[in-house]
Amino acid sequence: MSLFKARDWWSTVLGEKEEFDQGCLCLADVDNSGSGQDKIIVGSFMGYLRIFNPHPVKTGDGAQAEDLLLEVDLRDPILQVEVGKFVSGTEMLHLAVLHSRKLCVYSISGTLGNVEHGNQYQLKLMYEHNLQRTACNMTYGSFGGVKGRDLICIQSMDGMLMVFEQESYAFGRFLPGSLLPGPLAYSSRTDSFITVSSCRQVESYKYQVLAFATDADKRQETEQQKLGSGKRLVVDWALNIGEQALDICIVSFNQSASSVFVLGERNFFCLKDNGQIRFMKKLDCSPSCFLPYCSVSEGTINTLIGNHKNMLHVYQDVTLKWATQLPHIPVAVRVGCFQNLKGVIVTLSDDGRLQCSYLGTDPSLFQAPKVESRELNYDELDVELKELQRIIKVVKSQGIWPMPEKEDDLKVYAMVSSNFDPVSQATDVEIGTDVVPSITVQVTLQNRIVLPKVKLSIYVQPPLVLTCDQFTFEFLAPEMISTVSFSVYLKRSYTPSDLEGNAVVSYSKPTGTPRVVQCKFRLPLKLICLPGQPSKTANHKLTIDTNQSPVSLPSLFPGFANQSDDDQINVMGFRFLGGSRVTLLASKTSQRYRIQSEQFEDLWLITNELILRLQKYFEKQGIKDFASSFSGSIPLQEYFELIDHHFELRINGEKLEELLSERAVQFRAIQRRLLTRFKDKTPAPLQHLDVLLDGTYKQVIALADAVEENQGNLFQAFTKLKSATHLMILLIGLWQKLSADQIAILEAAFLPLQEDMQELGWEETVDAAISHLLKTCLSKSSKEQALNLNSQLNIPKDTSRLKKHITLLCDRLAKGGRLCLSNDAAAPQTMVMPGGCTPIPESDLEERSVEQDSTELFTNHRHLIAETPVPEVSALQGVSE
């Protein structure tokens, strides 16, 4: 229970299943009793009009029968009720009731009763106006400065203001550009109507301008109006508040100043009567109603704001002075005087809960018992502390995460078809003249318990695409099996960075705990590759050493064997869809395999596929000690060329976007100039602005095409860079005999991003990751560990720093450094592996010299590989030599 709770003074519930809104509540001395006591007038959408005069015997009593003065069924929905001087010839208060198609003005009179049932009240119709348009809301006041009477202005659903001078209809005007009606209020000091348009701006219209504007009985302009008769309806002032408004209220300090309060969806605004903002307040909760009223402090205004969390806040300007809890969500709030009790807050909910309350607190009557003082036994506390420390150590050793269940709630299986689809599902491919095949992948889900809304997402590496990548399941019974199928094909003429796909299933357990299950599958090499003619020359070559005798290549790659060349069993050619070629050679005597290609990044897939198939082949043979290694130099220079190309495209894209932004600004400026010339009543020469506009438009289109083309090239370059990065990680792992955990750390450092963006690119991310490795596990001294890395990642000026860090990483791995995640695990760098590097420098000058030496060491790897003695058999001599 909240301490700041609205104290119930009187309350009741109106009818059954009736609905109410902010215009359905009004407080006034409607029967003209002259006592100064307010009555509560409530109208409902069901057409019932009720008038209450609360007389609780004690605080918190419900409504008694005598509290209801009048209840009448008017048979039409009541949109709004107001009390004012609406009848000519008298200054008595009358009740105006707004229906959707009718405005009725009633007189409320009471007759003293002579018997127990008390006074009798009667409702008498004074006059009514049948409306030609559906009404939305209304306001009233002394329009035009009239004395002793109130005029009524009704806003229709199509944005027309209809003014009634009591019993007669005065005029109607359409608000310019009106789409939906907003709240409406009248300011007597400025003699203007204030509303909020569908453009989300507060607008003020002078009554005199409305009165003398063109008649709005018809929206179409006649020829006479076009020639200039009548005045155009123009706004006095407008203020854009950027949100829809719930209500408008006008409060006057004195005769010289008034404030316009606007309640928005997230803020409430206080404006001067000329449209300038006095202050605004951002609300924490979505508001439902409000009521500004004058404060006891001079120059300030108090505001009651109800919200959808059953709270009523009291603000003094922008300062929260009080917050109280209500038993319902208020849609209308008023402040009145009942039984000489001033400041009673009256709230009404949308379901008819009417309550009169006042602010107060519910003090707690609970008193905490006194705590008995006792002396501390420090020996017992030491024993308890040791026991708790022992429990903490056990929990740490066992892990704080709960152990997974023995049986999964959902199992996922993926199976790739061994054959291509009979009819290829490849559409919109961008690959030359090659026929692009597609292959079917089947994913099966089996649940153990009931699981609604299970989502399956499929991911493959671009430019591989899927015919469908999102699926939804409803497992309404346990032990159900659902199977989906989709096809995969290559869309563009370059190779993907990996052939591995991933099926991710997300679901929520009955307890609400979210879970994710993954299942990986591997696509066949033949999906993106065809048998090709071996090439005798190649720019890039790699040699992989093994500890087992060489295997016949047709037995490793049965789908790529060329039947016409049965004698060359140790040479095999591959041609990727799109044109690039790779040649694989095997030696019969030296346990080596050579992969060569014209493109460095194309070596990755064949090299990886070779190692995987060799491992699988020897596992079938029962050989468990198969191992492969790389003894050549790490091809850093070719890798750096791909990095530079990717970085150059990023810089080019940034320049093109800046140039496109400049041309767009220029295009909009020319448009504004032309629009000003066209709107001018006295025509002026264009001064070749139209030619400049056409030229700028062509430049914008050309630059947009260039940006789009550069983005496509950047995406392709990033895919090639990922392939080369995979190859570098593989070679470093074979070169230094890295474990699976160390390779995982390298992959996390070199492949942190799935997508390359202009804001966060590959270069700065990888540079930060490698710098962290050099600072922690690969650091040479505590001085390096104390270096602070820049926490903000920005696009670098060039790639020299990144290339230097990659070279240092290879140097320190060659000196025996090992990768780990702990900060103080710098391994002793005494063991030098094959292909060792120069010592790590101790100063910046030494580092520069080492960088030059390392560049020389890794630059000429093509010649080093070519000079590596590889014994060849006769089948190899015609191809490789």
Side-chain angles (χ1 to χ4, degrees):
M1 178 181 293
S2 173
L3 176 65
F4 302 101
K5 183 181 178 183
R7 304 302 300 271
D8 186 8
W9 183 70
W10 177 88
S11 61
T12 185
V13 178
L14 307 178
E16 294 183 359
K17 297 182 179 179
E18 296 188 44
E19 296 182 6
F20 304 83
D21 206 351
Q22 62 183 10
C24 298
L25 176 64
C26 180
L27 302 186
D29 187 15
V30 69
D31 59 345
N32 299 282
S33 64
S35 61
Q37 306 298 313
D38 292 326
K39 289 19 175 231
I40 303 176
I41 304 104
V42 183
S44 72
F45 289 164
M46 297 294 290
Y48 287 96
L49 178 68
R50 298 178 178 91
I51 301 176
F52 292 93
N53 185 18
H55 287 83
V57 178
K58 61 179 180 178
T59 300
D61 279 353
Q64 304 297 321
E66 57 271 17
D67 293 341
L68 181 60
L69 303 184
L70 185 67
E71 182 175 16
V72 181
D73 184 6
L74 300 181
R75 300 187 179 277
D76 290 321
I78 299 175
L79 304 181
Q80 191 172 344
V81 290
E82 298 290 351
V83 175
K85 303 172 184 179
F86 300 136
V87 178
S88 60
T90 178
E91 293 190 6
M92 303 289 284
L93 297 179
H94 290 77
L95 175 65
V97 179
L98 179 65
H99 303 285
S100 58
R101 284 282 184 169
K102 187 169 54 175
L103 171 65
C104 300
V105 176
Y106 297 96
S107 171
I108 308 297
S109 60
T111 304
L112 294 177
N114 296 322
V115 290
E116 293 182 356
H117 60 261
N119 302 336
Q120 296 180 0
Y121 286 83
Q122 294 179 352
L123 183 72
K124 181 181 179 182
L125 178 64
M126 303 303 293
Y127 62 87
E128 69 177 15
H129 293 288
N130 292 316
L131 307 178
Q132 300 298 321
R133 299 178 181 276
T134 303
C136 175
N137 51 25
M138 69 175 176
T139 186
Y140 70 95
S142 54
F143 305 161
V146 297
K147 302 295 183 181
R149 56 179 180 155
D150 291 326
L151 280 62
I152 297 176
C153 179
I154 298 176
Q155 182 178 207
S156 66
M157 294 297 292
D158 55 356
M160 180 180 178
L161 297 185
M162 297 171 284
V163 178
F164 296 89
E165 294 183 355
Q166 296 182 339
E167 290 86 350
S168 61
Y169 170 72
F171 58 85
R173 301 289 184 264
F174 276 109
L175 296 180
S178 175
L179 294 179
L180 293 173
L184 181 68
Y186 173 73
S187 174
S188 59
R189 206 188 74 83
T190 60
D191 193 24
S192 58
F193 296 99
I194 299 173
T195 184
V196 178
S197 67
S198 53
C199 298
R200 299 184 175 183
Q201 61 182 6
V202 185
E203 298 176 350
S204 175
Y205 296 93
K206 291 284 188 180
Y207 175 75
Q208 296 296 333
V209 176
L210 288 170
F212 290 101
T214 305
D215 192 8
D217 290 337
K218 296 182 179 179
R219 276 183 178 264
Q220 293 81 8
E221 290 183 322
T222 63
E223 292 297 328
Q224 186 179 5
Q225 292 169 354
K226 290 181 180 179
L227 293 176
S229 68
K231 293 185 178 180
R232 183 183 177 190
L233 180 58
V234 293
V235 64
D236 182 32
W237 55 260
L239 175 68
N240 193 337
I241 60 174
E243 58 183 314
Q244 294 294 343
L246 302 180
D247 199 2
I248 295 178
C249 190
I250 299 173
V251 177
S252 297
F253 292 113
N254 45 50
Q255 296 297 326
S256 61
S258 63
S259 295
V260 179
F261 280 82
V262 182
L263 180 65
E265 296 172 324
R266 295 173 296 276
N267 308 274
F268 83 90
F269 306 83
C270 178
L271 314 178
K272 297 180 182 179
D273 49 20
N274 60 356
Q276 297 179 356
I277 295 181
R278 287 189 62 235
F279 61 81
M280 65 172 288
K281 173 67 176 177
K282 183 175 178 61
L283 303 176
D284 297 330
C285 304
S286 176
S288 59
C289 61
F290 86 139
L291 177 69
Y293 60 95
C294 291
S295 171
V296 293
S297 301
E298 184 177 357
T300 62
I301 294 181
N302 284 359
T303 308
L304 294 173
I305 300 181
N307 59 40
H308 286 86
K309 289 190 175 181
N310 295 14
M311 295 293 294
L312 187 68
H313 291 170
V314 182
Y315 288 91
Q316 186 178 63
D317 287 348
V318 296
T319 305
L320 181 63
K321 291 295 185 180
W322 195 266
T324 183
Q325 184 80 33
L326 293 175
H328 56 259
I329 298 175
V331 295
V333 58
R334 300 290 184 270
V335 175
C337 177
F338 304 98
Q339 292 188 340
N340 297 320
L341 181 62
K342 297 181 180 180
V344 177
I345 300 174
V346 182
T347 55
L348 175 67
S349 68
D350 60 350
D351 58 352
R353 297 178 182 271
L354 182 65
Q355 176 174 314
C356 297
S357 55
Y358 58 94
L359 302 180
T361 59
D362 282 332
S364 177
L365 301 178
F366 173 76
Q367 293 182 354
K370 294 182 179 180
V371 180
E372 295 181 2
S373 60
R374 57 186 180 90
E375 295 183 359
L376 298 178
N377 189 335
Y378 292 100
D379 294 335
E380 293 181 358
L381 291 178
D382 288 339
V383 174
E384 183 180 0
L385 178 61
K386 291 180 181 179
E387 179 64 20
L388 292 176
Q389 289 177 342
R390 186 188 65 81
I391 295 174
I392 292 173
K393 288 182 180 180
V394 172
V395 171
K396 281 186 176 180
S397 63
Q398 294 178 352
I400 61 174
W401 297 107
M403 298 299 291
E405 293 84 353
K406 295 182 179 179
E407 189 174 359
D408 294 332
D409 298 329
L410 185 67
K411 296 181 180 179
V412 186
Y413 310 94
M415 183 179 67
V416 181
S417 175
S418 57
N419 299 319
F420 290 146
D421 297 335
V423 178
S424 177
Q425 302 297 316
T427 57
D428 299 331
V429 294
E430 302 172 7
I431 302 176
T433 58
D434 290 329
V435 177
V436 180
S438 65
I439 198 166
T440 299
V441 180
Q442 195 176 67
V443 178
T444 303
L445 283 74
Q446 182 178 3
N447 66 310
R448 185 176 61 87
I449 60 177
V450 176
L451 297 173
K453 294 183 180 179
V454 177
K455 295 182 179 180
L456 169 65
S457 302
I458 312 297
Y459 302 94
V460 292
Q461 294 295 330
L464 293 171
V465 295
L466 305 163
T467 54
C468 184
D469 60 352
Q470 299 286 338
F471 302 91
T472 304
F473 305 90
E474 293 283 347
F475 293 107
L476 302 180
E479 302 299 335
M480 292 179 61
I481 297 177
S482 295
T483 303
V484 293
S485 300
F486 53 88
S487 296
V488 188
Y489 61 90
L490 187 70
K491 188 172 184 178
R492 291 183 175 86
S493 59
Y494 54 93
T495 58
S497 60
D498 201 350
L499 292 176
E500 193 174 74
N502 196 9
V504 180
V505 181
S506 59
Y507 65 95
S508 296
K509 299 187 68 174
T511 59
T513 307
R515 289 297 177 91
V516 175
V517 180
Q518 296 187 65
C519 177
K520 295 185 177 182
F521 57 90
R522 186 167 185 83
L523 299 171
L525 181 64
K526 62 181 180 180
L527 182 64
I528 61 168
C529 189
L530 300 172
Q533 192 66 26
S535 176
K536 297 182 180 180
T537 58
N539 292 333
H540 307 277
K541 301 177 182 179
L542 292 176
T543 301
I544 303 298
D545 298 330
T546 63
N547 60 351
Q548 300 295 331
S549 58
V551 182
S552 172
L553 294 183
S555 62
L556 284 179
F557 298 90
F560 296 90
N562 196 339
Q563 301 297 330
S564 60
D565 297 334
D566 292 338
D567 54 336
Q568 296 186 355
I569 59 174
N570 294 323
V571 180
M572 185 167 290
F574 302 88
R575 183 175 68 86
F576 291 110
L577 295 177
S580 57
R581 299 176 181 272
V582 180
T583 302
L584 177 61
L585 304 96
S587 174
K588 289 185 177 180
T589 58
S590 62
Q591 303 176 357
R592 290 181 176 179
Y593 301 87
R594 175 175 292 171
I595 308 98
Q596 56 189 27
S597 174
E598 295 295 329
Q599 303 294 331
F600 176 69
E601 64 273 5
D602 292 337
L603 297 173
W604 153 245
L605 286 179
I606 302 301
T607 304
N608 186 50
E609 195 74 20
L610 171 66
I611 294 176
L612 291 177
R613 297 196 181 201
L614 284 173
Q615 292 174 349
K616 186 177 180 180
Y617 175 83
F618 286 112
E619 284 179 1
K620 289 184 177 180
Q621 300 294 327
I623 300 174
K624 298 181 179 180
D625 59 345
F626 169 76
S628 55
S629 61
F630 176 72
S631 58
S633 300
I634 301 298
L636 289 180
Q637 190 61 35
E638 279 71 14
Y639 185 53
F640 290 161
E641 290 176 1
L642 288 174
I643 293 176
D644 290 337
H645 177 60
H646 175 263
F647 184 74
E648 181 182 354
L649 289 175
R650 284 188 64 193
I651 298 297
N652 189 31
E654 194 175 41
K655 293 178 179 178
L656 286 174
E657 289 180 0
E658 291 179 359
L659 194 57
L660 178 61
S661 178
E662 293 176 0
R663 290 296 180 268
V665 171
Q666 176 180 323
F667 185 73
R668 289 191 293 269
I670 299 171
Q671 280 183 321
R672 286 194 296 268
R673 289 286 185 89
L674 280 174
L675 187 61
T676 304
R677 296 289 177 89
F678 290 146
K679 282 186 174 181
D680 197 354
K681 294 182 179 179
T682 58
L686 298 179
Q687 297 178 347
H688 303 290
L689 283 176
D690 53 343
V691 179
L692 186 59
L693 180 70
D694 183 63
T696 307
Y697 173 75
K698 291 179 180 179
Q699 290 182 4
V700 169
I701 295 300
L703 285 172
D705 293 339
V707 169
E708 187 176 4
E709 181 182 359
N710 187 81
Q711 287 177 348
N713 295 335
L714 180 63
F715 188 81
Q716 181 175 350
F718 184 60
T719 303
K720 293 181 179 181
L721 180 60
K722 285 199 294 185
S723 298
T725 304
H726 279 295
L727 180 61
M728 292 292 295
I729 294 173
L730 175 65
L731 295 180
I732 292 175
L734 296 177
W735 175 45
Q736 291 296 317
K737 301 291 191 298
L738 299 182
S739 63
D741 292 340
Q742 292 175 323
I743 292 177
I745 294 175
L746 272 184
E747 290 178 347
F750 279 88
L751 296 169
L753 301 176
Q754 289 295 328
E755 295 182 4
D756 193 32
M757 298 175 293
Q758 197 69 29
E759 297 80 9
L760 181 63
W762 183 86
E763 285 80 7
E764 57 265 28
T765 311
V766 172
D767 187 30
I770 295 178
S771 299
H772 178 73
L773 292 178
L774 294 174
K775 173 179 171 292
T776 54
C777 58
L778 295 179
S779 62
K780 285 180 75 276
S781 62
S782 59
K783 181 180 179 181
E784 290 184 358
Q785 294 183 1
L787 295 176
N788 292 324
L789 299 178
N790 188 10
S791 60
Q792 186 173 3
L793 298 182
N794 298 318
I795 183 170
K797 296 180 180 179
D798 52 38
T799 58
S800 58
R801 174 185 171 90
L802 172 62
K803 292 188 286 189
K804 180 179 72 173
H805 286 166
I806 294 176
T807 306
L808 285 175
L809 177 72
C810 296
D811 288 342
R812 295 190 179 180
L813 287 176
K815 292 290 293 180
R818 284 297 173 260
L819 298 169
C820 60
L821 295 179
S822 60
N823 293 330
D824 55 350
Q829 302 176 5
T830 56
M831 180 177 61
V832 180
M833 301 299 293
C837 302
T838 54
I840 303 299
E842 297 294 339
S843 65
D844 293 340
L845 294 176
E846 287 187 58
E847 187 170 318
R848 293 194 191 100
S849 63
V850 167
E851 182 181 358
Q852 295 176 358
D853 297 340
S854 301
T855 304
E856 295 177 0
L857 174 65
F858 292 113
T859 298
N860 300 322
H861 77 281
R862 304 175 191 170
H863 307 291
L864 292 175
I865 295 176
E867 294 171 3
T868 303
V870 181
E872 304 289 351
V873 295
S874 58
L876 289 174
Q877 292 175 356
V879 177
S880 61
E881 302 296 326

